[in-house]
Amino acid sequence: MVAERKRYKAVIANRSYTIIGNKSSQHMNLVTKLVNEQLSEIKMISPQINDEQAAILLAVNAVSDQVDKQAEVLRLQKEVQELREKTVRIVELENRVKRIEAIESEARKYLAEQGQTDVKIKNHVHAQQILNEARKEQIKQKTSLDRKD
């Protein structure tokens, strides 16, 4: 959707201008006020310069600020991207921890069913080994039952 273009009458350095754009009147009032304040400040610092020179200095200052702000925006966008990547990594790690906890829980449950509550699970690799051995045992039992049939 194209923004509606508006006419705004501004008085800058005692001269009237008609500005056409899509900003609100409140925005343009603020911009006009700031431009007049900055022009006055420039003329106070350098009273010998004329309105045109003051306007050029103001434009140079404004563009310089814009370049600085754009650099800051780019830096922040990069930081946001890095934070997104870190967030993805954190979620991946949280999912791994949940899988490890599930493996360890399943191994503890199996050991409890076997009456081996005194066996301590050292780490997730040990837990997986316990489950692997349990599954091998289940396969052996199933195979021996199938052979009997």
Side-chain angles (χ1 to χ4, degrees):
M1 183 174 159
V2 176
E4 181 182 331
R5 298 178 62 79
K6 304 170 194 164
R7 291 180 168 275
Y8 177 79
K9 297 214 184 273
V11 177
I12 300 172
N14 298 319
R15 290 190 181 155
S16 292
Y17 296 91
T18 300
I19 301 169
I20 300 171
N22 57 5
K23 301 293 184 183
S24 69
S25 294
Q26 294 85 358
H27 176 86
M28 293 309 300
N29 285 336
L30 179 60
V31 168
T32 301
K33 179 182 175 202
L34 291 172
V35 166
N36 280 317
E37 287 174 0
Q38 290 178 18
L39 282 172
S40 293
E41 190 177 310
I42 290 169
K43 299 250 339 202
M44 275 180 39
I45 293 169
S46 301
Q48 75 281 5
I49 65 173
N50 62 32
D51 288 347
E52 182 182 348
Q53 291 169 326
I56 289 171
L57 285 174
L58 178 59
V60 168
N61 288 339
V63 171
S64 176
D65 288 347
Q66 181 182 358
V67 168
D68 290 344
K69 297 296 182 206
Q70 186 60 38
E72 179 69 3
V73 165
L74 292 173
R75 185 191 67 75
L76 290 171
Q77 286 174 338
K78 181 180 177 185
E79 186 177 329
V80 165
Q81 182 59 34
E82 289 169 356
L83 290 171
R84 282 187 179 131
E85 290 168 4
K86 285 180 181 178
T87 301
V88 167
R89 180 73 176 134
I90 288 169
V91 169
E92 289 171 352
L93 291 171
E94 286 173 345
N95 289 337
R96 285 176 106 180
V97 167
K98 287 177 185 174
R99 286 193 304 271
I100 288 169
E101 287 171 342
I103 289 168
E104 290 174 350
S105 176
E106 187 179 347
R108 277 191 286 283
K109 182 180 172 188
Y110 171 77
L111 290 172
E113 289 170 356
Q114 300 302 311
Q116 299 177 12
T117 53
D118 58 329
V119 175
K120 299 291 180 202
I121 298 174
K122 298 173 193 154
N123 55 40
H124 70 283
V125 174
H126 184 226
Q128 187 64 59
Q129 289 170 340
I130 291 168
L131 293 176
N132 289 348
E133 290 301 319
R135 288 189 182 108
K136 283 183 195 175
E137 190 60 38
Q138 289 171 348
I139 291 169
K140 282 181 187 177
Q141 289 174 0
K142 186 175 186 302
T143 305
S144 67
L145 287 175
D146 288 346
R147 286 185 184 156
K148 289 181 182 177
D149 289 341

